Amino acid sequence: MRGKISTILILSLLVLAVASCGCAESTGQQAVPNSSSVLQSSDTVQITDMLGRQLTVPEYISSVVATSPPSTILVYMLAPDKLAGWNFKNNFTQPFMDENYTSLPVIGAGSGPRQGTMKP
């Protein structure tokens, strides 16, 4: 009985130690600057990615292409007007789905077509 309690206590302390590691502040990483302070012009923003590369991106994103079906569905649920196309063959027969979204083009997945989802 005493062995079970000590094992549970050790596992609990291990879980607590692992969970608290994510709360430590990292001093070696560069923070991404606020986009309002690095505006180059009225329509682009310069950002620094995690590898330290300088990138110029549009200030306002008008459309999104996701690379996997779960992320495509997530974009559709959160901002359907931003979805540029589906990455899987859609067999939507739901009467409640707007025609604007069922008629979007099938772009394909980031890794290429999946078996059985697109006709050759």
Side-chain angles (χ1 to χ4, degrees):
M1 180 72 170
R2 190 160 207 208
K4 287 183 180 183
I5 293 175
S6 62
T7 303
I8 291 172
L9 181 63
I10 289 173
L11 288 175
S12 300
L13 290 174
L14 181 64
V15 167
L16 182 63
V18 169
S20 66
C21 288
C23 298
E25 183 177 338
S26 176
T27 59
Q29 295 202 3
Q30 178 183 2
V32 175
N34 187 355
S35 63
S36 63
S37 65
V38 292
L39 286 176
Q40 286 183 343
S41 67
S42 63
D43 58 347
T44 62
V45 176
Q46 185 175 4
I47 62 170
T48 304
D49 70 0
M50 294 171 72
L51 296 176
R53 298 175 293 195
Q54 295 290 322
L55 304 168
T56 303
V57 297
E59 184 176 4
Y60 298 104
I61 306 298
S62 60
S63 63
V64 177
V65 174
T67 58
S68 67
S71 57
T72 302
I73 297 297
L74 186 63
V75 170
Y76 173 71
M77 288 188 303
L78 296 176
D81 56 319
K82 303 280 187 199
L83 190 62
W86 300 100
N87 58 1
F88 52 90
K89 182 180 177 188
N90 48 19
N91 294 326
F92 301 125
T93 58
Q94 292 85 358
F96 54 84
M97 193 169 193
D98 190 357
E99 178 66 29
N100 293 333
Y101 306 117
T102 57
S103 63
L104 287 173
V106 178
I107 297 170
S111 60
R114 298 174 190 253
Q115 290 289 353
T117 58
M118 296 177 71
K119 294 182 181 178

